[in-house]
Amino acid sequence: MRLIIQKYLYGDYGDGHAGGLEKASNQDQQKEWPLWEVFIRSKQGLDHKHAGSLHAADAIMALENARDVYTRRNEGMSIWVVESKHIHASDPDAAAEFFEPANDKIYRHPSFYDLPDSLKHM
Amino acid sequence: MEQTTNQLQEQFQQRVDEEQKIEPRDWMPEKYRQTLIRQISQHAHSEIIGMLPEGNWITRAPSLRRKAILLAKVQDEAGHGLYLYSAAETLGISRDEMYEQLHSGKAKYSSIFNYPTLSWADMGAIGWLVDGAAILNQIPLCRPSFGPYARAMVRVCKEESFHQRQGFECLLQLSKGSEVQRQMCQDAINRWWWPSLMMFGPKDDESPNSKLSMQWKIKRFTNDELRQKFVDMIAEQIKLLGMVLPDPDLKWNEQTKHYDYGAINWEEFKQVIQGNGPCNKERLEARKKAWADGAWVRDAATAHAAKQANKKAKANSLTKETQQP
Ligand SMILES: [Fe+2]
Ligand SMILES: [Fe+2]
């Protein structure tokens, strides 16, 4: 039997799920601040990379908290935050089919081509 | 096609054996999930409660330099707690649920933080011994089978080394000071040594969950292995301080190439775990008070965010209206 988890996991946030603020207005529901994903550019010229997540009431607070939690030692010079509920993820259980088309196209790789050693600069 | 639990279980174990990481949405045995939630959240709670004994000395640090260092260390521990809570959340438990477990006493935290910090030298002893023991426990956790845990622990480990170094430096300075300072240094070591040894947990033959945790690669060395490593390390380092460890049985064993050490008082360990340590009540109370006192701040921030979002929505619809031909 498969286990179906209905709690919030990374990338599990569909449009049907309400994140923190919507929930907070729901009186006796939990009053947790929404969850945010943090992406950090460690230096100019590099991509922003996922660093982790945190809770914050709004985007400004999320940015400030991200600075305090994830960049206490100059780990970044730019931060992106996005509310976790906005992340859509591919399904790990369907990964085999989903990525399959790339698998059998080995001719996309330079190593596929068997050429004489005397051929230079290629 | 429907796979049986057995097949899934087999595939799971095979991935773990091949040192592949398990990510939050991958299939995992329910017991693996529960064990990880317990282990990671307890670890997070320890980081958060661990701020209390040291926070106690921030305002009384002997110099501005020491104050800045201690402040930075305590702030790091808060960070560690936050990395770990986030990692646990990916397993499907909410932050509030974890807090609730801590506050109700259902979840445990490291028993070491139930001892009092009586003098400034305790700041040194904690950094050197407590963070030192934590580092040995944590390094193998940088490559557990669960991805988010591994990534959180890599951050934690990177930051820990300064914690231990500042602690040793603090004691080194005291050890070169006046007679009173030297006594303070020795006294702190005397009080923190045995509780530090207990941080590695019960003896191997009394640690029933270990086998499964090793199989799942969320534990890599046994409690006694790590404890021995710690004793060997500290027994050498203390020579630089010119102090002694409070154990008459401690001596180098030429055969085993390790230090032998005396019997640990496991009754004390049990008592502290069960809530009867010197500061259990005080720590939990302080934590609950901080949470309760912060409630209005959390509510205010939520209300402010809702108000701002509302304003923005109104402004947007207004511009739309005016844009209409
Ligand atoms: Fe820590
Ligand atoms: Fe630490």
Side-chain angles (χ1 to χ4, degrees), chain B residues 38-227:
Chain B
R38 206 191 53 217
Q39 183 174 330
I40 301 173
S41 65
Q42 277 184 11
H43 191 166
H45 297 328
S46 302
E47 302 282 354
I48 297 300
I49 296 285
M51 291 192 281
L52 296 171
E54 288 178 293
N56 179 32
W57 280 91
I58 291 175
T59 54
R60 292 177 287 163
S63 69
L64 196 55
R65 177 177 182 270
R66 288 288 168 198
K67 189 192 289 241
I69 292 171
L70 187 57
L71 204 56
K73 178 182 189 286
V74 172
Q75 199 190 1
D76 272 357
E77 307 300 5
H80 298 173
L82 294 174
Y83 307 151
L84 289 161
Y85 280 132
S86 297
E89 277 173 279
T90 66
L91 288 158
I93 186 170
S94 76
R95 186 78 59 101
D96 279 1
E97 271 175 273
M98 286 186 273
Y99 286 161
E100 166 55 30
Q101 289 177 352
L102 172 64
H103 297 161
S104 71
K106 188 186 165 217
K108 300 274 178 257
Y109 54 86
S110 180
S111 61
I112 192 84
F113 302 117
N114 291 316
Y115 290 87
T117 41
L118 303 177
S119 80
W120 169 253
D122 288 18
M123 297 305 99
I126 288 181
W128 178 42
L129 297 174
V130 176
D131 286 81
I135 289 171
L136 283 184
N137 267 327
Q138 286 166 358
I139 286 175
L141 291 177
C142 289
R143 35 187 200 97
S145 55
F146 187 57
Y149 192 22
R151 295 191 283 275
M153 287 312 299
V154 166
R155 283 174 193 285
V156 169
C157 286
K158 260 191 211 158
E159 297 180 354
E160 283 296 347
S161 123
F162 126 70
H163 297 180
Q164 197 187 17
R165 290 174 71 97
Q166 65 84 33
F168 192 82
E169 189 209 54
C170 166
L171 291 185
L172 192 60
Q173 205 167 6
L174 288 171
S175 76
K176 290 174 182 158
S178 67
E179 190 45 38
V180 179
Q181 285 172 321
R182 290 182 50 80
Q183 273 171 17
M184 219 165 88
C185 179
Q186 181 63 59
D187 169 64
I189 293 170
N190 290 350
R191 282 181 293 107
W192 289 96
W193 172 245
W194 292 106
S196 299
L197 286 188
M198 296 176 198
M199 281 177 72
F200 296 94
K203 286 162 86 111
D204 289 349
D205 42 18
E206 278 152 46
S207 182
N209 293 328
S210 283
K211 215 183 139 234
L212 203 51
S213 293
M214 299 274 253
Q215 184 194 321
W216 282 338
K217 306 213 170 161
I218 50 182
K219 192 180 168 103
R220 301 246 178 195
F221 297 98
T222 72
N223 296 351
D224 286 333
E225 280 168 354
L226 290 170
R227 190 164 16 240

Side-chain angles (χ1 to χ4, degrees), chain B residues 285-296:
Chain B
E285 228 84 292
R287 171 61 212 163
K288 283 196 274 192
K289 184 173 183 300
W291 181 245
D293 289 354
W296 72 269

